[in-house]
């Protein structure tokens, strides 16, 4: 039995201006359902980050439809799109994107500023979420004093704390040594087992092979999708 779609892309293209223009995505059809853990794999330049930006409503397609948590991106103003993004999507990036000099707790609690919830409530939830990702003993550490693997755990805690419909991660292990990478992959698998929907971009096939569904991109098109059988 299949669950509700969280993310639907139909005929999505993305061209970047230039002479000639760059055809970064050339007609992507892809549906991600609630509770899935999907690895998107492909060589450098295949369009992975462009795809993540469109899935994350950080950019709009040149043509085609993107629907996130039931909202058609094309129907929304930039302002409404920001609200959908804040409520529905959690992001994890290769470079962590944390505020250095602030504690792990502040970094995670600030991720829910948009909710307008009282600071005490946000900090309690942030502490519980840091505990859940294995950082209960590091909550008052400034994030620049943490190891790479620990920093990425903080970023994962920030991404999942607001219970988004989907978490999108772009090369989350790209800056980590192999042991820390494995730990982060294990953490993402645990979160999936708890019911969180995740899309993880990687150029590393070994990492993608640890995810239940794998979508391979090549030259801006889906080359194979384990959910529909390899073409
Ligand atoms: P990947 O993440 O798989 O390495 P990208 O999505 O970053 O691939 O890039 C896909 C293609 O689009 C590449 O040829 C890249 O050079 C090009 N590209 C990406 N972003 C831009 C941009 N802002 N302007 C022009 N070209 C871009
Ligand atoms: Mg990329």
């Amino acid at each position: 039995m299949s669950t509700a779609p969280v993310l639907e892309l139909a005929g999505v293209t993305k061209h970047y201006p230039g002479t000639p223009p760059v055809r970064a995505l050339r007609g992507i059809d892809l549906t991600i359902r609630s509770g899935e853990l999907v690895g998107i794999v492909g060589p450098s330049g295949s369009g992975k980050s462009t795809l993540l930006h469109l899935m994350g409503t950080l950019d709009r397609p040149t043509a085609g439809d993107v629907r996130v948590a039931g909202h058609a991106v094309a129907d929304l103003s930039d302002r409404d799109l920001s609200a959908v993004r804040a409520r529905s999507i959690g992001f994890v990036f290769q470079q962590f994107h944390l505020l250095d000099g602030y504690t792990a707790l502040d970094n995670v609690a600030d991720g829910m500023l948009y909710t307008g919830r009282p600071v005490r409530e946000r900090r309690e939830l942030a502490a519980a979420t840091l505990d859940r990702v294995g950082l209960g003993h590091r909550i008052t550490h400034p994030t620049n004093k943490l190891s790479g693997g620990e920093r990425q755990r903080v970023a994962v805690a920030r991404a999942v704390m607001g219970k988004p419909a989907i978490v999108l991660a772009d090369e989350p292990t790209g800056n980590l040594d192999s042991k820390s990478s494995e730990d982060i992959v294990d953490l993402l698998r645990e979160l999936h087992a708890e019911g969180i929907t995740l899309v993880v971009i990687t150029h590393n096939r070994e990492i993608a092979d640890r995810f239940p569904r794998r979508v391979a991109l090549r030259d801006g098109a889906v080359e194979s999708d384990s959910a529909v059988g390899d073409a």
Side-chain angles (χ1 to χ4, degrees):
M1 196 181 66
S2 54
T3 54
V6 178
L7 202 53
E8 293 174 276
L9 287 85
V12 165
T13 67
K14 180 70 185 178
H15 299 171
Y16 293 112
T19 37
V22 179
R23 296 164 175 275
L25 296 177
R26 307 166 179 248
I28 303 279
D29 297 311
L30 189 61
T31 299
I32 311 287
R33 294 180 179 279
S34 183
E36 282 200 289
L37 167 55
V38 183
I40 296 193
V41 69
S44 177
S46 57
K48 303 183 300 296
S49 292
T50 299
L51 181 61
L52 182 119
H53 278 82
L54 294 182
M55 287 174 158
T57 76
L58 296 165
D59 201 355
R60 294 171 186 269
T62 303
D65 291 315
V66 177
R67 296 182 74 89
V68 179
H71 302 277
V73 165
D75 293 345
L76 298 177
S77 65
D78 286 349
R79 188 197 164 114
D80 290 342
L81 209 50
S82 300
V84 168
R85 190 184 312 128
R87 258 188 287 116
S88 305
I89 308 174
F91 291 96
V92 178
F93 295 103
Q94 178 174 354
Q95 313 283 355
F96 318 128
H97 289 204
L98 301 173
L99 290 171
D100 284 344
Y102 288 83
T103 64
L105 187 70
D106 286 335
N107 267 278
V108 176
D110 283 359
M112 277 184 71
L113 267 177
Y114 72 93
T115 61
R117 292 218 222 159
V119 65
R120 203 171 65 95
E121 205 178 298
R122 282 191 281 116
R123 292 173 72 84
E124 279 171 12
L125 189 55
T129 310
L130 283 165
D131 197 38
R132 177 182 178 195
V133 302
L135 283 183
H137 58 308
R138 290 277 185 270
I139 59 175
T140 58
H141 273 56
T143 49
N144 50 314
K145 299 264 167 66
L146 299 176
S147 71
E150 288 173 333
R151 297 169 111 205
Q152 198 59 298
R153 280 174 189 273
V154 174
V156 169
R158 182 182 55 188
V160 302
M161 185 175 70
K163 297 198 191 313
I166 192 162
V167 173
L168 304 175
D170 193 356
E171 303 275 7
T173 65
N175 276 8
L176 304 180
D177 60 63
S178 57
K179 171 71 171 77
S180 304
S181 292
E182 263 185 52
D183 290 347
I184 289 292
V185 171
D186 287 342
L187 174 62
L188 297 174
R189 285 164 51 100
E190 282 164 35
L191 294 170
H192 165 64
E194 292 170 21
I196 292 178
T197 310
L198 295 130
V199 173
V200 183
I201 283 185
T202 177
H203 65 271
N204 184 329
R205 261 198 182 273
E206 280 172 35
I207 287 179
D209 284 345
R210 299 203 51 212
F211 299 140
R213 177 179 171 194
R214 291 155 318 275
V215 174
L217 279 193
R218 181 170 297 274
D219 296 333
V222 174
E223 181 183 52
S224 65
D225 181 344
S226 64
V228 296
D230 288 355

